[in-house]
Amino acid sequence: MAEITYVRGDATAPLGKGVKVIAHVCNDLGGWGKGFVLALSRRWPEPEAAFRRWHRERAKNDFGLGALQLVRVEPYVWVANLVGQRGIRTGRSTGVPVRYEAIDAGLAALGDRALELGASVHMPRIGCGLAGGRWQKVEPLVTGRLTARGVPVTVYDFD
């Protein structure tokens, strides 16, 4: 079984050799404009463009809570757009947008793809920023769907 490695740094500059997948959580409204996605968009335009197209064409595809989209941004780097958030927080919001069951489903699909690619997975503490989730609930999902299957995971805490 692989383990989760915790480091200080930038998840958009994943450490190590080999194929790497950068995973993050997206909302189900097609919104892209706050949080970690801004750092992704500063590095590569493709994940945002692919996500917006995926959402726009959702009547004809699998877009929705729990869905996963992999976007290749470099020869050995992919970005995983994982829909794990229902809506966004607003001034009138009660509760948090995170949907742990959707993150779990997306991580299961990510585990399959990471094994196919022979990839390690790199991420911030997904679902715990704008989505309002708690890492104590997300970490066991990452362990169960990725590291328990032998997928190495690095979690980045940005300074």
Side-chain angles (χ1 to χ4, degrees):
M1 179 163 117
E3 291 185 5
I4 299 175
T5 301
Y6 291 88
V7 300
R8 290 217 172 280
D10 180 358
T12 68
L15 302 170
K17 299 199 180 314
V19 179
K20 297 178 268 303
V21 177
I22 301 168
H24 71 107
V25 166
C26 305
N27 64 63
D28 65 349
L29 296 177
W32 183 291
K34 288 186 176 180
F36 182 69
V37 299
L38 296 178
L40 285 173
S41 290
R42 277 194 292 275
R43 293 267 328 236
W44 308 285
E46 298 92 347
E48 178 180 359
F51 177 75
R52 291 187 184 280
R53 186 170 46 256
W54 188 32
H55 176 262
R56 191 172 51 251
E57 298 171 0
R58 65 191 177 280
K60 299 176 277 190
N61 64 40
D62 66 344
F63 183 91
L65 284 171
L68 179 76
Q69 178 190 53
L70 252 61
V71 181
R72 191 178 213 159
V73 293
E74 292 180 11
Y76 297 101
V77 180
W78 299 74
V79 170
N81 294 329
L82 191 163
V83 185
Q85 179 181 327
R86 163 83 69 203
I88 58 172
R89 279 193 207 195
T90 65
R92 299 185 310 272
S93 297
T94 57
V96 293
V98 69
R99 293 297 179 265
Y100 297 109
E101 65 283 353
I103 291 174
D104 190 45
L107 288 171
L110 178 56
D112 293 342
R113 295 298 308 277
L115 289 168
E116 289 169 15
L117 293 167
S120 56
V121 173
H122 303 259
M123 64 179 71
R125 293 183 189 238
I126 59 169
C128 299
L130 295 171
R134 294 186 22 240
W135 187 247
Q136 301 94 304
K137 290 187 174 189
V138 176
E139 184 183 45
L141 305 177
V142 173
T143 299
R145 297 301 188 175
L146 299 175
T147 60
R149 298 176 66 194
V151 177
V153 174
T154 302
V155 173
Y156 296 75
D157 289 312
F158 192 72
D159 287 328

mmCIF file of all heavy atoms in Angstrom, residues 72-98:
data_model
loop_
_atom_site.group_PDB
_atom_site.id
_atom_site.type_symbol
_atom_site.label_atom_id
_atom_site.label_comp_id
_atom_site.label_asym_id
_atom_site.label_seq_id
_atom_site.Cartn_x
_atom_site.Cartn_y
_atom_site.Cartn_z
ATOM 1 N N ARG A 72 -4.702 16.403 -20.520
ATOM 2 C CA ARG A 72 -3.241 16.361 -20.616
ATOM 3 C C ARG A 72 -2.711 17.764 -20.857
ATOM 4 O O ARG A 72 -3.160 18.452 -21.773
ATOM 5 C CB ARG A 72 -2.831 15.439 -21.753
ATOM 6 C CG ARG A 72 -1.357 15.131 -21.750
ATOM 7 C CD ARG A 72 -1.024 14.163 -22.866
ATOM 8 N NE ARG A 72 0.065 13.313 -22.455
ATOM 9 C CZ ARG A 72 0.335 12.144 -22.996
ATOM 10 N NH1 ARG A 72 -0.422 11.672 -23.965
ATOM 11 N NH2 ARG A 72 1.355 11.443 -22.585
ATOM 12 N N VAL A 73 -1.745 18.180 -20.017
ATOM 13 C CA VAL A 73 -1.203 19.533 -20.131
ATOM 14 C C VAL A 73 0.279 19.546 -20.501
ATOM 15 O O VAL A 73 0.799 20.569 -20.952
ATOM 16 C CB VAL A 73 -1.440 20.358 -18.845
ATOM 17 C CG1 VAL A 73 -2.934 20.618 -18.646
ATOM 18 C CG2 VAL A 73 -0.835 19.688 -17.623
ATOM 19 N N GLU A 74 0.957 18.444 -20.284
ATOM 20 C CA GLU A 74 2.359 18.257 -20.654
ATOM 21 C C GLU A 74 2.523 16.777 -20.980
ATOM 22 O O GLU A 74 1.649 15.972 -20.645
ATOM 23 C CB GLU A 74 3.300 18.650 -19.488
ATOM 24 C CG GLU A 74 3.310 20.125 -19.165
ATOM 25 C CD GLU A 74 4.241 20.474 -18.007
ATOM 26 O OE1 GLU A 74 5.040 19.616 -17.576
ATOM 27 O OE2 GLU A 74 4.158 21.617 -17.542
ATOM 28 N N PRO A 75 3.623 16.392 -21.611
ATOM 29 C CA PRO A 75 3.766 14.981 -21.967
ATOM 30 C C PRO A 75 3.571 14.011 -20.800
ATOM 31 O O PRO A 75 3.010 12.936 -20.979
ATOM 32 C CB PRO A 75 5.192 14.900 -22.521
ATOM 33 C CG PRO A 75 5.444 16.269 -23.078
ATOM 34 C CD PRO A 75 4.727 17.212 -22.139
ATOM 35 N N TYR A 76 3.972 14.399 -19.580
ATOM 36 C CA TYR A 76 3.844 13.501 -18.429
ATOM 37 C C TYR A 76 3.000 14.093 -17.307
ATOM 38 O O TYR A 76 3.074 13.626 -16.174
ATOM 39 C CB TYR A 76 5.241 13.132 -17.894
ATOM 40 C CG TYR A 76 6.046 12.367 -18.907
ATOM 41 C CD1 TYR A 76 7.028 13.005 -19.669
ATOM 42 C CD2 TYR A 76 5.812 11.018 -19.138
ATOM 43 C CE1 TYR A 76 7.756 12.311 -20.625
ATOM 44 C CE2 TYR A 76 6.529 10.319 -20.088
ATOM 45 C CZ TYR A 76 7.504 10.972 -20.831
ATOM 46 O OH TYR A 76 8.210 10.288 -21.784
ATOM 47 N N VAL A 77 2.205 15.108 -17.618
ATOM 48 C CA VAL A 77 1.371 15.745 -16.593
ATOM 49 C C VAL A 77 -0.065 15.872 -17.100
ATOM 50 O O VAL A 77 -0.305 16.343 -18.207
ATOM 51 C CB VAL A 77 1.907 17.148 -16.196
ATOM 52 C CG1 VAL A 77 1.022 17.793 -15.130
ATOM 53 C CG2 VAL A 77 3.344 17.057 -15.705
ATOM 54 N N TRP A 78 -0.988 15.448 -16.249
ATOM 55 C CA TRP A 78 -2.421 15.549 -16.515
ATOM 56 C C TRP A 78 -3.062 16.344 -15.387
ATOM 57 O O TRP A 78 -2.546 16.367 -14.266
ATOM 58 C CB TRP A 78 -3.064 14.162 -16.537
ATOM 59 C CG TRP A 78 -2.549 13.234 -17.583
ATOM 60 C CD1 TRP A 78 -1.346 12.581 -17.593
ATOM 61 C CD2 TRP A 78 -3.217 12.824 -18.770
ATOM 62 N NE1 TRP A 78 -1.231 11.812 -18.720
ATOM 63 C CE2 TRP A 78 -2.368 11.929 -19.451
ATOM 64 C CE3 TRP A 78 -4.462 13.126 -19.316
ATOM 65 C CZ2 TRP A 78 -2.727 11.335 -20.658
ATOM 66 C CZ3 TRP A 78 -4.822 12.530 -20.515
ATOM 67 C CH2 TRP A 78 -3.951 11.645 -21.174
ATOM 68 N N VAL A 79 -4.199 16.964 -15.662
ATOM 69 C CA VAL A 79 -5.011 17.600 -14.632
ATOM 70 C C VAL A 79 -6.336 16.858 -14.580
ATOM 71 O O VAL A 79 -6.960 16.600 -15.614
ATOM 72 C CB VAL A 79 -5.234 19.105 -14.917
ATOM 73 C CG1 VAL A 79 -6.275 19.697 -13.963
ATOM 74 C CG2 VAL A 79 -3.913 19.856 -14.796
ATOM 75 N N ALA A 80 -6.749 16.499 -13.351
ATOM 76 C CA ALA A 80 -8.016 15.799 -13.134
ATOM 77 C C ALA A 80 -9.039 16.792 -12.590
ATOM 78 O O ALA A 80 -8.924 17.245 -11.445
ATOM 79 C CB ALA A 80 -7.820 14.651 -12.157
ATOM 80 N N ASN A 81 -10.022 17.136 -13.416
ATOM 81 C CA ASN A 81 -11.154 17.954 -12.994
ATOM 82 C C ASN A 81 -12.183 17.006 -12.394
ATOM 83 O O ASN A 81 -12.785 16.208 -13.102
ATOM 84 C CB ASN A 81 -11.764 18.704 -14.185
ATOM 85 C CG ASN A 81 -10.832 19.731 -14.781
ATOM 86 O OD1 ASN A 81 -10.016 20.316 -14.098
ATOM 87 N ND2 ASN A 81 -10.974 19.973 -16.083
ATOM 88 N N LEU A 82 -12.367 17.077 -11.081
ATOM 89 C CA LEU A 82 -13.260 16.160 -10.357
ATOM 90 C C LEU A 82 -14.441 16.972 -9.821
ATOM 91 O O LEU A 82 -14.244 17.898 -9.037
ATOM 92 C CB LEU A 82 -12.472 15.526 -9.205
ATOM 93 C CG LEU A 82 -13.058 14.354 -8.440
ATOM 94 C CD1 LEU A 82 -11.944 13.668 -7.656
ATOM 95 C CD2 LEU A 82 -14.156 14.767 -7.492
ATOM 96 N N VAL A 83 -15.643 16.642 -10.248
ATOM 97 C CA VAL A 83 -16.830 17.388 -9.820
ATOM 98 C C VAL A 83 -17.279 16.841 -8.461
ATOM 99 O O VAL A 83 -17.887 15.777 -8.382
ATOM 100 C CB VAL A 83 -17.967 17.312 -10.860
ATOM 101 C CG1 VAL A 83 -19.133 18.208 -10.433
ATOM 102 C CG2 VAL A 83 -17.474 17.724 -12.244
ATOM 103 N N GLY A 84 -16.929 17.595 -7.418
ATOM 104 C CA GLY A 84 -17.225 17.148 -6.062
ATOM 105 C C GLY A 84 -17.878 18.206 -5.203
ATOM 106 O O GLY A 84 -17.879 18.117 -3.975
ATOM 107 N N GLN A 85 -18.464 19.196 -5.847
ATOM 108 C CA GLN A 85 -19.034 20.326 -5.119
ATOM 109 C C GLN A 85 -20.363 20.700 -5.755
ATOM 110 O O GLN A 85 -20.436 20.945 -6.957
ATOM 111 C CB GLN A 85 -18.042 21.485 -5.202
ATOM 112 C CG GLN A 85 -18.462 22.746 -4.532
ATOM 113 C CD GLN A 85 -17.418 23.841 -4.698
ATOM 114 O OE1 GLN A 85 -16.221 23.579 -4.749
ATOM 115 N NE2 GLN A 85 -17.875 25.076 -4.790
ATOM 116 N N ARG A 86 -21.438 20.746 -4.943
ATOM 117 C CA ARG A 86 -22.761 21.157 -5.431
ATOM 118 C C ARG A 86 -22.860 22.674 -5.277
ATOM 119 O O ARG A 86 -22.863 23.185 -4.172
ATOM 120 C CB ARG A 86 -23.857 20.472 -4.617
ATOM 121 C CG ARG A 86 -25.227 21.092 -4.730
ATOM 122 C CD ARG A 86 -26.038 20.669 -5.919
ATOM 123 N NE ARG A 86 -26.438 19.286 -5.803
ATOM 124 C CZ ARG A 86 -26.753 18.523 -6.843
ATOM 125 N NH1 ARG A 86 -26.712 19.019 -8.062
ATOM 126 N NH2 ARG A 86 -27.098 17.274 -6.684
ATOM 127 N N GLY A 87 -22.888 23.370 -6.399
ATOM 128 C CA GLY A 87 -23.012 24.819 -6.354
ATOM 129 C C GLY A 87 -21.795 25.487 -5.750
ATOM 130 O O GLY A 87 -20.699 24.925 -5.714
ATOM 131 N N ILE A 88 -22.002 26.712 -5.297
ATOM 132 C CA ILE A 88 -20.946 27.498 -4.660
ATOM 133 C C ILE A 88 -21.533 28.189 -3.436
ATOM 134 O O ILE A 88 -22.757 28.328 -3.314
ATOM 135 C CB ILE A 88 -20.346 28.555 -5.624
ATOM 136 C CG1 ILE A 88 -21.442 29.498 -6.141
ATOM 137 C CG2 ILE A 88 -19.603 27.887 -6.767
ATOM 138 C CD1 ILE A 88 -20.933 30.675 -6.939
ATOM 139 N N ARG A 89 -20.651 28.644 -2.565
ATOM 140 C CA ARG A 89 -21.114 29.406 -1.397
ATOM 141 C C ARG A 89 -21.506 30.806 -1.842
ATOM 142 O O ARG A 89 -20.820 31.425 -2.640
ATOM 143 C CB ARG A 89 -19.993 29.535 -0.376
ATOM 144 C CG ARG A 89 -19.830 28.352 0.487
ATOM 145 C CD ARG A 89 -18.930 28.729 1.644
ATOM 146 N NE ARG A 89 -18.250 27.536 2.117
ATOM 147 C CZ ARG A 89 -17.623 27.462 3.257
ATOM 148 N NH1 ARG A 89 -17.541 28.513 4.045
ATOM 149 N NH2 ARG A 89 -17.035 26.354 3.628
ATOM 150 N N THR A 90 -22.610 31.271 -1.289
ATOM 151 C CA THR A 90 -23.017 32.654 -1.508
ATOM 152 C C THR A 90 -23.296 33.262 -0.139
ATOM 153 O O THR A 90 -23.258 32.560 0.877
ATOM 154 C CB THR A 90 -24.304 32.738 -2.364
ATOM 155 O OG1 THR A 90 -25.379 32.161 -1.619
ATOM 156 C CG2 THR A 90 -24.147 32.015 -3.688
ATOM 157 N N GLY A 91 -23.600 34.542 -0.096
ATOM 158 C CA GLY A 91 -23.918 35.201 1.167
ATOM 159 C C GLY A 91 -25.124 34.596 1.857
ATOM 160 O O GLY A 91 -25.266 34.668 3.066
ATOM 161 N N ARG A 92 -26.009 33.947 1.106
ATOM 162 C CA ARG A 92 -27.226 33.356 1.661
ATOM 163 C C ARG A 92 -27.084 31.858 1.911
ATOM 164 O O ARG A 92 -28.029 31.207 2.326
ATOM 165 C CB ARG A 92 -28.401 33.590 0.717
ATOM 166 C CG ARG A 92 -28.708 35.065 0.483
ATOM 167 C CD ARG A 92 -29.949 35.269 -0.366
ATOM 168 N NE ARG A 92 -29.939 34.480 -1.595
ATOM 169 C CZ ARG A 92 -29.420 34.862 -2.752
ATOM 170 N NH1 ARG A 92 -28.855 36.024 -2.862
ATOM 171 N NH2 ARG A 92 -29.478 34.094 -3.826
ATOM 172 N N SER A 93 -25.914 31.293 1.625
ATOM 173 C CA SER A 93 -25.726 29.843 1.729
ATOM 174 C C SER A 93 -25.841 29.347 3.158
ATOM 175 O O SER A 93 -25.400 29.998 4.102
ATOM 176 C CB SER A 93 -24.342 29.441 1.213
ATOM 177 O OG SER A 93 -24.216 29.737 -0.144
ATOM 178 N N THR A 94 -26.452 28.204 3.286
ATOM 179 C CA THR A 94 -26.406 27.471 4.550
ATOM 180 C C THR A 94 -25.765 26.140 4.218
ATOM 181 O O THR A 94 -26.041 25.531 3.190
ATOM 182 C CB THR A 94 -27.813 27.253 5.142
ATOM 183 O OG1 THR A 94 -28.614 26.565 4.193
ATOM 184 C CG2 THR A 94 -28.475 28.575 5.501
ATOM 185 N N GLY A 95 -24.880 25.688 5.080
ATOM 186 C CA GLY A 95 -24.163 24.458 4.775
ATOM 187 C C GLY A 95 -23.016 24.715 3.821
ATOM 188 O O GLY A 95 -22.747 25.850 3.436
ATOM 189 N N VAL A 96 -22.350 23.639 3.461
ATOM 190 C CA VAL A 96 -21.179 23.749 2.585
ATOM 191 C C VAL A 96 -21.450 23.031 1.267
ATOM 192 O O VAL A 96 -22.232 22.085 1.224
ATOM 193 C CB VAL A 96 -19.913 23.170 3.272
ATOM 194 C CG1 VAL A 96 -19.522 24.026 4.467
ATOM 195 C CG2 VAL A 96 -20.115 21.729 3.693
ATOM 196 N N PRO A 97 -20.786 23.469 0.185
ATOM 197 C CA PRO A 97 -21.021 22.863 -1.128
ATOM 198 C C PRO A 97 -20.374 21.492 -1.333
ATOM 199 O O PRO A 97 -20.733 20.774 -2.263
ATOM 200 C CB PRO A 97 -20.427 23.870 -2.115
ATOM 201 C CG PRO A 97 -20.127 25.104 -1.351
ATOM 202 C CD PRO A 97 -20.016 24.713 0.086
ATOM 203 N N VAL A 98 -19.393 21.118 -0.500
ATOM 204 C CA VAL A 98 -18.692 19.847 -0.707
ATOM 205 C C VAL A 98 -19.684 18.684 -0.680
ATOM 206 O O VAL A 98 -20.661 18.693 0.074
ATOM 207 C CB VAL A 98 -17.577 19.641 0.347
ATOM 208 C CG1 VAL A 98 -18.153 19.406 1.747
ATOM 209 C CG2 VAL A 98 -16.663 18.497 -0.039
#
